Amino acid sequence: MTDLVIRGECTISPMIIPVNNGLKSINFYLLRNEEGLTLIDAGLNTEECWSHLKLGLDKIDQSLEDINQILITHNHHDHVGLVNRVMTALPREIPVYAHQEAIPRLKRNKEFFSMRIDFFQQLYEEMGCGEAGEKQVKKLREAMATNEKHAIQADIIPLLPAGRIANLDVIETPGHSPDHVSFYDNKNKWLFVGDHVLEHISSNAMIEPTSDGKRRKSLIDYSESLKICAKVDADTLFTGHGELITTHREFIAARLQRLNQKAERFLSVIQQGVTTASELAQASYRHKYQSEFALVMSEIIGHLDYLEVAQKINKKKMNGVWHYITV
Ligand SMILES: [Zn+2]
């Protein structure tokens, strides 16, 4: 699985680092083509990822100094871990590219992160989360203190939507995160999808504010991005975790179907008289509501958005809390 992928002048050297959790592995890639050597994502900031990067370079007879640029699919820590280390090890600056929305997150911009806390405070109040929501907001506040040390030091150049970089088309694929992009090599039919499509698990469509504090409907974004991805003529999807994907259209069709089935399950709970997002979360994920609160609320709010857009439910605000009812 970690073999080189070679087609004509283009070579991919995959770094696949197994992990003992649901993600199966941390994947990132070196791409060598007419535009030089590009690092696509940068794994975790661990010795293991670092030595895999060195190995990946060895396999194509290249060294760190040969890397011309770094492309980031999205801001999550398991995709940008080695960026600072690579930049420090290089004798010269190389450009780092990411989506505009990734920049305040990667730079750990203080204003952005305090706005983000206010965003979640209001969201959880409006979703009727009470104490559980307050607990989560407290956690976010505490994380602010250690936030800065994870900042990407290099300047980050915003990718142009629908632009081209390193002979790759930039395709915006928001949903898993608002800044998510995929990179497409149309000649070789290679698609670097980050966490947008994973082989063994459904990607979470996490609720996040945009940099101007708005809430996008992340699950709607996600399903639209899946449809965009299905249209791409790709032989192989190079994923951020787990196996590569060679039959992406079937995969995506199955994902979309499952998404719809899950929404229908939530709808039946609402039909039984549950009205707030918090109640729906507790009815559907009793234990996880405590242990994985942010994830569960993203899941619930995402599917409520989905049902609302499908005109199967309406919402009404009462005493500051949204109540959902079937149409
Ligand atoms: Zn991710």
Side-chain angles (χ1 to χ4, degrees):
M1 181 169 157
T2 48
D3 288 347
L4 299 180
V5 183
I6 304 169
R7 213 166 284 176
E9 294 297 300
C10 305
T11 304
I12 298 173
S13 181
M15 277 74 70
I16 312 282
I17 297 96
V19 287
N20 287 327
N21 59 36
L23 295 175
K24 269 193 185 175
S25 63
I26 304 285
N27 309 346
F28 55 114
Y29 303 93
L30 285 158
L31 169 69
R32 186 175 57 193
N33 61 17
E34 301 87 337
E35 295 291 310
L37 186 61
T38 303
L39 179 63
I40 302 177
D41 280 347
L44 283 167
N45 185 15
T46 61
E47 285 310 316
E48 212 184 353
C49 282
W50 182 249
S51 59
H52 272 81
L53 173 59
K54 295 278 192 65
L55 264 172
L57 286 159
D58 277 352
K59 279 189 195 164
I60 48 174
D61 293 321
Q62 307 268 270
S63 63
L64 267 180
E65 292 76 37
D66 297 316
I67 299 175
N68 298 98
Q69 56 207 339
I70 302 176
L71 307 186
I72 301 295
T73 59
H74 66 298
N75 73 85
H76 291 168
H77 76 289
D78 50 349
H79 293 259
V80 300
L82 293 175
V83 172
N84 285 343
R85 193 160 175 184
V86 169
M87 297 300 277
T88 311
L90 291 178
R92 65 196 158 89
E93 293 242 327
I94 58 166
V96 180
Y97 295 93
H99 190 277
Q100 180 78 50
E101 279 290 334
I103 297 175
R105 293 168 166 86
L106 292 175
K107 299 301 279 181
R108 296 295 188 263
N109 179 294
K110 276 206 182 101
E111 264 168 56
F112 171 79
F113 277 90
S114 66
M115 175 276 283
R116 184 173 177 268
I117 291 173
D118 296 342
F119 169 91
F120 281 114
Q121 182 158 26
Q122 189 188 340
L123 178 71
Y124 296 148
E125 277 170 20
E126 288 179 352
M127 294 301 167
C129 297
E131 224 175 274
E134 284 165 29
K135 215 167 96 187
Q136 177 66 16
V137 169
K138 191 168 163 248
K139 251 197 237 172
L140 292 176
R141 271 191 221 290
E142 284 162 5
M144 272 279 276
T146 53
N147 211 355
E148 229 163 282
K149 71 168 193 266
H150 302 297
I152 298 296
Q153 302 303 328
D155 288 339
I156 300 161
I157 305 168
L159 288 163
L160 294 177
R164 262 177 85 74
I165 186 84
N167 264 356
L168 301 167
D169 296 329
V170 178
I171 304 173
E172 287 183 290
T173 45
H176 172 64
S177 63
D179 62 322
H180 200 293
V181 291
S182 300
F183 300 106
Y184 178 49
D185 178 330
N186 58 18
K187 203 172 72 188
N188 294 309
K189 300 192 189 332
W190 291 335
L191 185 61
F192 297 89
V193 286
D195 287 356
H196 178 47
V197 193
L198 300 176
E199 189 263 345
H200 62 297
I201 42 172
S202 301
S203 308
N204 305 306
M206 296 303 288
I207 304 275
E208 278 288 329
T210 55
S211 49
D212 55 1
K214 297 213 170 67
R215 179 168 91 76
R216 292 180 60 108
K217 293 183 162 72
S218 56
L219 194 65
I220 304 292
D221 278 350
Y222 180 64
S223 69
E224 291 307 313
S225 294
L226 281 179
K227 289 173 197 162
I228 288 169
C229 190
K231 285 194 192 131
V232 176
D233 182 15
D235 280 352
T236 309
L237 267 55
F238 293 87
T239 53
H241 306 281
E243 307 285 330
L244 310 186
I245 297 173
T246 51
T247 52
H248 73 299
R249 291 195 169 124
E250 288 151 44
F251 250 91
I252 288 170
R255 285 273 187 279
L256 287 168
Q257 200 184 358
R258 272 216 295 283
L259 195 160
N260 200 45
Q261 285 165 349
K262 198 182 255 186
E264 290 296 327
R265 279 207 303 280
F266 290 138
L267 181 63
S268 71
V269 182
I270 296 168
Q271 279 161 345
Q272 289 159 29
V274 163
T275 65
T276 69
S278 166
E279 286 165 358
L280 182 57
Q282 291 172 73
S284 312
Y285 302 99
R286 207 148 51 96
H287 299 295
K288 274 195 182 172
Y289 182 71
Q290 298 300 333
S291 60
E292 295 179 61
F293 178 80
L295 194 67
V296 164
M297 288 314 295
S298 285
E299 181 86 354
I300 295 292
I301 296 167
H303 284 84
L304 287 170
D305 288 341
Y306 183 89
L307 288 168
E308 210 188 333
V309 169
Q311 297 183 325
K312 295 194 171 170
I313 55 173
N314 279 327
K315 68 173 190 270
K316 201 164 69 180
K317 212 178 217 177
M318 288 188 280
N319 298 325
V321 176
W322 289 114
H323 290 259
Y324 294 84
I325 36 166
T326 50
V327 173

